[in-house]
């Protein structure tokens, strides 16, 4: 085999895993990676048009070229790797091979370590290297390192037999909040498909049946789709099942006429990206809305991951798909213990609807107050200013401040907000247990249900709605009280009139 000159893949720099190396990997073990390749041409000129195109036309105009894919396949063959799948619409070439061959092909060293749960994982440090002749073709390589990529954004306040911490507070189901917030009446999402991305856990059909019967709503249609060998794998109420059931039960109660497709993928950068692109380009189920309640601080991601996922979200805007993403559950620190403020990704992508958190208190059937959700330093609505994505055009007049860390005026998070306080949270059923759960994890599926109702009402896909709501901020009920300061030195952002980095423009009920 002829030796090929290699160059570092931009944005592939990976930080060392905090846990120590625990042993030698089996270099003969087979693993899979996803290679993302460039578009045939830029989508930028189309993004502001509001035009939606079909999956077929998107692939034809903006997908990857067959020639580029074949060059990646030739590289794989030269390095004893096998092409498992090529999807030009997703711009993805899936390769398999032994760890030893992957290390040689991509110029990396993979080590064995453990994650926070004690599971054995592969880790790498530094950059990925590719042949120089592929440097303008390959945009990212995912799956060499399989450390956990994200966390679910939910918080449990009560279980069977326990009183909620604030027993006097009202708790809700998704349909009740849809009514309180004034979502379009007479619509239930019929004809719409909502995709839900899950990086762990699972659901039990018996629980779904029992839950919707208990609240007097017809059970929606729910199906599971496996991505990268992920699967619907329910275990117990202390697992990610809480996230899965929260997503299904909140969105299902608020839009029971919609169909729900749950994409289960491994919790890795490859799994997350592949789940997003598979849902986006699923020409069988054709979801018009995607709900994501997983994420992590921007500092925890590689540049190539944030860039590739953001490019996928650009594709969503052209395909007419609305992406709703939770903004985080640990306030301005976003769970990073360095006394700095952090914003959550993928909520910080400029092409998604970032969903923040409030605490909602009722007086009978009327709203008594609604403020920023902030219970503690580990239980508060996420929000802030991106230090990776620049300020988007639609936020030019939103008075987004510079990041507290470095004054960079980037994409402001969130865009909208809704009830997320676990003390005023959502009644759900998880693995047979009745629970009250909060977190911005609940807000993303709630807004996915709103979009489904509006799509049904207008008989068309809404697509990327951020420009519309920022041009018409009166569509939102402003939340002006509270803050999300959760760093050790009490740094963060405060709510106030207009957009803020706690609750965005406020509570959206129509658009």
């Amino acid at each position: 085999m002829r030796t090929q000159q290699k160059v570092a893949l931009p944005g592939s720099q990976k930080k060392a895993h905090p846990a120590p190396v625990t042993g030698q990997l089996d270099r003969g073990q087979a693993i899979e990676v996803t290679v993302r390749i460039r578009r045939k041409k830029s989508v930028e000129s189309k993004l502001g048009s509001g035009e939606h195109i079909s999956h077929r036309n998107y692939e034809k105009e903006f997908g990857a070229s067959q020639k580029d894919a074949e060059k990646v396949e030739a590289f794989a063959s030269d390095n004893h790797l096998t092409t498992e799948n090529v999807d030009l619409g997703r711009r993805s070439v899936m390769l398999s091979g032994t760890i030893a061959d992957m290390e040689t092909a991509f110029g990396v060293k993979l080590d064995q370590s453990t994650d926070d749960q004690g599971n054995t994982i592969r880790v790498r440090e530094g950059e990925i290297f590719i042949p120089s002749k592929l440097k303008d073709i390959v945009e990212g390589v995912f799956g060499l390192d399989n450390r956990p990529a994200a966390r679910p954004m939910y918080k449990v306040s009560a279980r069977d037999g326990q009183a909620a911490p604030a027993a006097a507070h009202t708790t809700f189901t998704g349909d009740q909040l849809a009514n309180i917030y004034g979502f379009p009446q007479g619509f239930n999402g019929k004809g719409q498909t909502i995709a839900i991305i899950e990086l762990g856990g699972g659901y039990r059909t018996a629980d779904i049946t029992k839950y919707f019967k208990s609240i007097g709503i017809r059970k929606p249609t729910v199906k599971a789709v496996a991505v990268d060998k992920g699967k619907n794998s329910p275990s117990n109420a202390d697992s990610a099942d809480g996230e899965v059931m929260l997503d299904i039960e909140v969105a299902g109660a608020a839009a029971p006429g919609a169909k729900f497709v749950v994409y289960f993928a491994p919790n890795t950068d490859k799994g997350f990206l592949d789940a997003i692109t598979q849902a986006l380009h699923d020409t069988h189920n054709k979801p018009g809305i995607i709900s994501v309640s997983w994420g992590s601080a921007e500092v925890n991601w590689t540049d190539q991951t944030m860039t590739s996922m953001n490019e996928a979200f650009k594709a969503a805007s052209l395909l007419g798909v609305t992406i709703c993403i939770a903004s985080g559950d640990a306030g301005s620190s976003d769970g990073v213990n360095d006394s700095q403020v952090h914003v959550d990704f993928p909520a910080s992508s400029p092409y998604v609807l970032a969903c923040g958190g409030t605490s909602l208190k009722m007086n009978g059937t009327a709203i008594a107050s609604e403020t920023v959700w902030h219970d503690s330093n580990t239980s508060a609505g996420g929000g802030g200013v991106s230090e990776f994505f620049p300020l988007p055009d639609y936020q030019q007049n939103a008075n987004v401040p510079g990041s507290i860390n470095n004054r960079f005026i980037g994409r402001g998070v969130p865009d909208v907000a809704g009830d997320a306080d676990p003390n005023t949270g959502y009644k759900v059923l998880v693995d047979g247990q009745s629970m009250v759960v909060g977190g911005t994890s609940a807000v993303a599926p709630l807004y996915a249900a709103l979009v489904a109702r509006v799509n049904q009402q207008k008989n068309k896909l809404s697509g990327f709605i951020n420009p519309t709501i920022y041009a018409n901020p009166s569509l939102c009920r402003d939340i002006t009280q509270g803050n999300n300061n959760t760093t050790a030195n009490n740094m963060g952002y405060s709510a106030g009139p207009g957009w803020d980095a706690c609750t965005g423009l406020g509570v959206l009920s129509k658009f």
Side-chain angles (χ1 to χ4, degrees), residues 449-463:
L450 167 63
V451 176
R453 288 194 185 196
V454 172
N455 287 358
Q456 179 191 10
Q457 181 183 35
K458 296 182 177 180
N459 195 32
K460 65 178 184 179
L461 294 177
S462 296

Side-chain angles (χ1 to χ4, degrees), residues 27 61 91 94 121 141 176 183 349 362 423 434:
R27 259 53 192 184
E61 191 171 355
R91 299 192 291 119
M94 282 71 168
I121 55 174
V141 177
Q176 290 170 336
F183 287 9
S349 163
M362 300 295 294
N423 296 319
S434 295

Side-chain angles (χ1 to χ4, degrees), residues 417-439:
D419 183 44
D421 185 345
N423 296 319
T424 64
Y426 299 72
K427 302 169 188 171
V428 296
L429 183 67
V430 183
D431 295 314
Q433 284 197 41
S434 295
M435 304 168 70
V436 175
V437 180

Side-chain angles (χ1 to χ4, degrees), residues 455-475:
N455 287 358
Q456 179 191 10
Q457 181 183 35
K458 296 182 177 180
N459 195 32
K460 65 178 184 179
L461 294 177
S462 296
F464 184 46
I465 69 172
N466 294 30
T468 298
I469 64 175
Y470 277 90
N472 302 277
S474 62
L475 291 171

Side-chain angles (χ1 to χ4, degrees), residues 239-443:
S239 71
D241 294 1
E243 180 60 66
V244 177
M245 297 304 289
L246 177 69
D247 293 341
I248 294 170
E249 290 171 353
V250 169
K259 295 180 181 178
F260 293 86
V261 183
V262 188
Y263 296 80
F264 288 98
N267 185 7
T268 63
D269 57 0
K270 170 179 161 58
F272 206 165
L273 176 63
D274 288 351
I276 293 290
T277 60
Q278 183 161 331
L280 272 179
H281 297 279
D282 185 342
T283 55
H284 176 69
N285 294 300
K286 295 181 179 177
I289 309 112
I290 297 178
S291 177
V292 181
S293 294
W294 297 71
S296 186
E298 285 184 339
V299 295
N300 294 331
W301 301 91
T302 60
D303 290 0
Q304 68 166 359
T305 304
M306 291 193 287
T307 298
S308 280
M309 288 185 69
N310 187 56
E311 290 299 315
F313 298 141
K314 287 181 183 179
S317 70
L318 288 184
L319 293 167
V321 179
T322 308
I323 313 284
C324 303
I325 300 188
S327 70
D329 59 1
S332 61
S333 72
D334 202 30
V336 181
N337 298 317
D338 63 357
S339 298
Q340 299 292 304
V341 297
H342 293 276
V343 68
D344 207 79
F345 178 82
S348 65
S349 163
Y351 292 93
V352 308
L353 184 73
C355 303
T358 69
S359 179
L360 174 67
K361 296 180 176 63
M362 300 295 294
N363 182 7
T365 57
I367 295 174
S369 68
E370 193 159 12
T371 58
V372 177
W373 164 41
H374 188 173
D375 295 332
S376 70
N377 283 358
T378 58
S379 181
V385 179
S386 174
E387 296 183 2
F388 185 79
F389 297 104
L391 187 73
D393 288 345
Y394 59 80
Q395 286 189 322
Q396 290 293 329
N397 297 317
N399 297 315
V400 176
S403 166
I404 292 172
N405 293 339
N406 57 20
R407 311 314 301 169
F408 176 70
I409 302 177
R411 155 49 161 163
V413 176
D415 301 303
V416 294
D419 183 44
D421 185 345
N423 296 319
T424 64
Y426 299 72
K427 302 169 188 171
V428 296
L429 183 67
V430 183
D431 295 314
Q433 284 197 41
S434 295
M435 304 168 70
V436 175
V437 180
T440 57
S441 275
V443 188

Side-chain angles (χ1 to χ4, degrees), residues 35-230:
V35 179
R36 283 271 285 180
I37 53 181
R38 66 185 175 185
R39 289 190 175 92
K40 292 174 187 171
K41 68 176 186 179
S42 170
V43 300
E44 303 302 323
S45 62
K46 287 268 192 179
L47 289 177
S49 68
E51 178 185 350
H52 297 163
I53 63 178
S54 68
H55 286 87
R56 182 175 181 179
N57 286 340
Y58 175 87
E59 179 178 327
K60 183 178 180 181
E61 191 171 355
F62 299 109
S65 75
Q66 183 65 42
K67 285 186 178 180
D68 282 351
E70 288 172 355
K71 289 177 182 178
V72 173
E73 290 185 86
F75 154 74
S77 180
D78 286 345
N79 286 274
H80 313 295
L81 306 180
T82 301
T83 300
E84 297 293 341
N85 185 50
V86 176
D87 191 313
L88 299 180
R90 294 168 67 187
R91 299 192 291 119
S92 297
V93 179
M94 282 71 168
L95 306 176
S96 66
T98 66
I99 288 177
D101 286 336
M102 289 286 183
E103 288 178 317
T104 300
F106 294 106
V108 298
K109 182 178 184 298
L110 301 180
D111 290 307
Q112 179 177 293
S113 189
T114 56
D115 63 18
D116 291 342
Q117 306 301 314
N119 300 308
T120 299
I121 55 174
R122 293 188 308 275
V123 297
R124 68 174 179 87
E125 182 180 356
E127 296 170 306
I128 293 170
F129 293 84
I130 57 173
S132 57
K133 65 182 182 181
L134 296 180
K135 68 181 180 67
D136 295 325
I137 295 175
V138 173
E139 294 183 351
V141 177
F142 307 93
L144 293 166
D145 182 309
N146 69 346
R147 73 185 76 179
R151 68 180 190 276
M153 303 298 178
Y154 74 101
K155 298 286 184 182
V156 177
S157 70
R159 302 174 184 270
D160 280 337
Q162 297 178 339
H169 294 166
T170 305
T171 55
F172 309 95
T173 54
D175 59 311
Q176 290 170 336
L177 267 175
N179 291 334
I180 290 166
Y181 283 158
F183 287 9
Q185 297 299 299
F187 302 95
N188 65 0
K190 184 177 180 181
Q192 306 302 310
T193 299
I194 297 175
I196 298 175
I197 304 299
E198 301 293 359
L199 305 179
Y203 65 81
R204 302 178 194 274
T205 301
D207 278 345
I208 294 174
T209 301
K210 182 177 179 180
Y211 177 79
F212 285 97
K213 182 177 181 180
S214 73
I215 63 174
I217 291 178
R218 183 177 179 179
K219 180 181 72 171
T221 300
V222 182
K223 66 180 290 187
V225 171
V227 180
D228 295 349
K229 301 177 183 177

